[in-house]
């Protein structure tokens, strides 16, 4: 019900104050998690009407889109070069204070929320009951964006959560080829390289 409000913040993200973005982010992560908690009883139902299915499908698509877009936005801000000032012949790194905002913790919470979603039988919301490749790629591309940030690879909890999410996409949604192609082409020179990526495929083989 807050889609228009959240989308308006996203569309003007560079002009919106930081505390507003953080408040919207908190609301969004909570909404994704709550929806994921509401879905199991519905998905376990033998049959549910078309209007209910479409309502939950639209909610799933909208909240996932917004979460991934905001996640990429905050990640981009986190990877901005640190300002360096010169004082009496010395270079001093200058960081912006973000109060109680902890992006590492928020990043982890968001990735875990997405994992909570894709581990459900959400394919039942589509007709025919197969999750769209575009939806899977949207989540996978956000994972790849996170892995472009060296701090994600250095922070074990975040790195493990991202690869767990990718592993679920491989195992449940046949994203194995997309993962391997992307890892080989993009991460051969990074710390999160193909040596790290390939175990995701081999430990989470696609469902047959």
């Amino acid at each position: 019900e807050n889609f228009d409000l959240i989308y308006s913040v996203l569309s003007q993200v560079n002009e919106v104050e930081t505390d507003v973005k953080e408040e919207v982010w908190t609301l969004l992560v909570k909404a994704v998690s709550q929806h994921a908690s509401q879905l199991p009883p519905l998905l376990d139902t033998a049959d549910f009407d078309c209007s209910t299915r479409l309502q939950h499908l639209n909610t799933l698509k909208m909240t996932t889109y917004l979460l991934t877009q905001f996640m990429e936005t905050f990640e981009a801000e986190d990877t901005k070069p640190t300002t360096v000032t010169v004082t009496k012949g010395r270079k001093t790194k200058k960081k912006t204070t973000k109060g109680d905002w902890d992006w590492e913790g928020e990043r982890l919470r968001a990735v875990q929320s997405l994992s909570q979603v894709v581990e459900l039988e959400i394919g039942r919301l589509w007709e025919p009951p197969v999750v769209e490749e575009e939806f899977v790629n949207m989540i996978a591309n956000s994972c790849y964006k996170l892995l472009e940030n060296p701090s994600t690879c250095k922070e074990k909890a975040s790195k493990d959560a991202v690869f767990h999410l990718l592993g679920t996409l491989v195992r449940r949604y046949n994203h194995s080829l997309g993962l391997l192609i992307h890892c080989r082409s993009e991460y051969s020179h990074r710390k999160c390289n193909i040596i790290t990526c390939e175990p995701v495929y081999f430990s989470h083989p696609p469902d047959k």
Side-chain angles (χ1 to χ4, degrees):
E1 61 185 39
N2 295 304
F3 177 81
D4 290 339
L5 169 63
I6 298 176
Y7 186 79
S8 67
V9 173
L10 176 62
S11 62
Q12 304 176 60
V13 69
N14 293 326
E15 287 76 41
V16 177
E17 293 183 1
T18 300
D19 57 346
V20 174
K21 289 188 288 187
E22 293 173 2
E23 184 177 348
V24 168
W25 166 265
T26 300
L27 177 67
L28 182 57
V29 175
K30 182 179 179 181
V32 171
S33 184
Q34 286 182 339
H35 189 227
S37 299
Q38 294 168 0
L39 281 175
L42 173 69
L43 298 175
D44 289 341
T45 304
D47 191 22
F48 48 89
D49 60 83
C50 182
S51 61
T52 300
R53 179 182 66 80
L54 289 176
Q55 178 185 352
H56 283 281
L57 178 59
N58 288 335
T59 298
L60 176 66
K61 286 183 174 182
M62 288 189 296
T63 54
T64 303
Y65 169 76
L66 290 171
L67 184 62
T68 55
Q69 292 301 302
F70 267 100
M71 187 161 59
E72 291 178 22
T73 297
F74 281 119
E75 191 71 10
E77 291 182 358
D78 188 66
T79 55
K80 285 181 179 178
T82 305
T83 302
V84 177
T85 57
V86 178
T87 306
K88 294 182 179 180
R90 291 184 176 181
K91 290 184 178 180
T92 305
K93 292 184 178 180
K94 187 177 181 181
K95 289 192 175 182
T96 304
T97 302
K98 296 185 179 180
D100 296 329
W101 179 254
D102 171 25
W103 174 238
E104 283 189 2
E106 293 298 326
R107 176 205 292 137
L108 177 60
R109 195 156 66 100
V111 173
Q112 289 173 336
S113 294
L114 289 173
S115 287
Q116 184 184 2
V117 169
V118 298
E119 286 169 1
L120 301 174
E121 296 295 334
I122 56 174
R124 293 201 63 204
L125 297 177
W126 274 264
E127 185 60 45
V130 178
V131 177
E132 294 173 347
E133 184 177 1
E134 182 180 359
F135 181 84
V136 175
N137 288 339
M138 176 173 64
I139 297 175
N141 288 336
S142 284
C143 291
Y144 301 142
K145 288 287 185 182
L146 295 181
L147 294 176
E148 290 176 5
N149 185 351
S151 69
T152 303
C153 297
K154 293 177 182 177
E155 213 284 303
K156 187 177 186 301
S158 290
K159 183 180 71 173
D160 288 350
V162 171
F163 280 117
H164 175 78
L165 177 53
L166 283 171
T168 302
L169 297 181
V170 167
R171 180 171 54 85
R172 297 178 66 92
Y173 305 105
N174 297 317
H175 188 65
S176 54
L177 182 60
L179 171 74
L180 291 176
I181 289 176
H182 196 89
C183 285
R184 288 185 186 280
S185 62
E186 297 293 332
Y187 299 137
S188 60
H189 61 292
R190 300 178 188 273
K191 289 188 176 180
C192 286
N193 55 26
I194 191 62
I195 295 175
T196 308
C197 292
E198 284 185 330
V200 177
Y201 175 80
F202 292 114
S203 61
H204 299 275
D207 289 340
K208 295 182 180 180

